Structures are given as C-alpha cells and as structure tokens.
Amino acid sequence: MWVRPETPADYPAVYAFVQSAFETAKVSNGQEQDFVNALRQSPRYVPGFAWVGLEAGRLIAFIMLTRLTVKSARPVRGLLLAPLAVELSFRRRGLGAQMVNHALQEAKKHGYEAVCLAGDPAYYSRFGFARLDSLGAQGSRQFPAAYALGLELVPGALAGAEID
C-alpha cells in the first residue's frame, strides 16, 4: 500500500469510501463521512494531516488527524485521530496499523504531544493508547470512559488535562 496526503481532488472519493467502509464497521453512527467534511471545514483542520492508502491506484484506506482542544495547566499540542477506515476486503492485513503508525510518526515529527480518540481499546492499545482516565486526564462525557483513549507522545502531556 502506498500512503500519501489527501488532496482536495480526493474529497469526493474519500467521502464515498468512508461511507462505504463504515457500513461494515463494528460501531458506526452512519455519519462518519459527514464528520470528515465537517472537520475539514473547522478550525481544527490541519492541512496535510489526512492520508489516503492506495493499492494499484485504488483507495483502500484513510486516516485523519485534527487539532484537539486540551485544557491543561500548560498548553498541550494535541490531535484527534478520527476516522480510520480500511476497505472490508483489505482488513486484517495490517493496513490499519500501517495508517495509524504513519499518522503517529507525522504527529511526532511535527511536535504534537498527544493523540486522542474514541475507539476500541483492544485494537488501539497495540499502539500505546490507554484510557484517558488512566493517564490522569478527563475525556468528553460524549463517550464512555472505556472508549476515550489517549497516547502521550511526550510523557505526562495529558496528566491533569481535560479533553474536549
């Protein structure tokens, strides 16, 4: 799989891809594709922090990082990882892991201190994500604590933080 930053020309294909990928997801509200568009229009959008995974020119994976509001005693540069999508026929081949690892490397390279998400702890723990409350942080009440996860790229970055 070849990973590259998405471009505006990719937006229609990414919209259809995310919609299709989440039709077979364990957990979905059916609006993930609209969430991607909303994030692109928000102040949280970070140009160059959404990537497409291609196989023979075909879109088979997508991941996006956007700015995250972290309320803390000191400023914390945080990101939200959402969504991660892999085409059903390409799942269980490590492509999601490849996308996550790529995104985390880019976050570190650009000086971000933490990445948070709402997701399956059994999947994301392999990358070092842990419950926010175990990191001394408080997540949004919008998600059950068991699924509010964070990864400190800088040790202690989320201690005492409130994630919005």
Side-chain angles (χ1 to χ4, degrees):
M1 176 177 65
W2 178 49
V3 179
R4 67 162 171 78
E6 76 167 349
T7 67
D10 295 318
Y11 293 175
V14 166
Y15 184 92
F17 173 76
V18 170
Q19 183 176 31
S20 174
F22 275 91
E23 287 173 355
T24 55
K26 280 185 188 178
V27 178
S28 171
N29 67 5
Q31 298 176 0
E32 290 81 6
Q33 67 281 354
D34 296 322
F35 183 56
V36 169
N37 282 349
L39 287 170
R40 283 194 198 111
Q41 300 302 315
S42 80
R44 294 179 178 213
Y45 181 67
V46 182
F49 269 49
W51 298 272
V52 292
L54 304 167
E55 182 74 35
R58 180 173 157 208
L59 178 60
I60 62 168
F62 177 77
I63 194 167
M64 182 179 227
L65 295 174
T66 53
R67 283 185 198 93
L68 182 67
T69 303
V70 180
K71 297 174 186 171
S72 183
R74 66 168 192 81
V76 175
R77 294 186 71 214
L79 294 166
L80 171 70
L81 188 159
L84 168 63
V86 177
E87 183 181 309
L88 180 61
S89 64
F90 285 86
R91 291 182 192 159
R92 302 202 185 287
R93 298 184 189 182
L95 302 180
Q98 186 178 340
M99 296 297 284
V100 171
N101 285 325
H102 178 82
L104 294 176
Q105 287 173 358
E106 289 295 312
K108 286 178 193 174
K109 184 168 88 175
H110 288 88
Y112 286 90
E113 299 170 85
V115 178
C116 297
L117 59 88
D120 181 1
Y123 180 78
Y124 287 102
S125 64
R126 72 185 77 182
F127 306 104
F129 283 89
R131 287 177 54 144
L132 286 174
D133 55 9
S134 74
L135 298 171
Q138 179 182 335
S140 168
R141 292 184 197 108
Q142 182 177 353
F143 301 104
Y147 300 102
L149 309 175
L151 173 64
E152 295 177 320
L153 302 175
V154 173
L158 295 174
E162 195 175 314
I163 311 302
D164 183 26

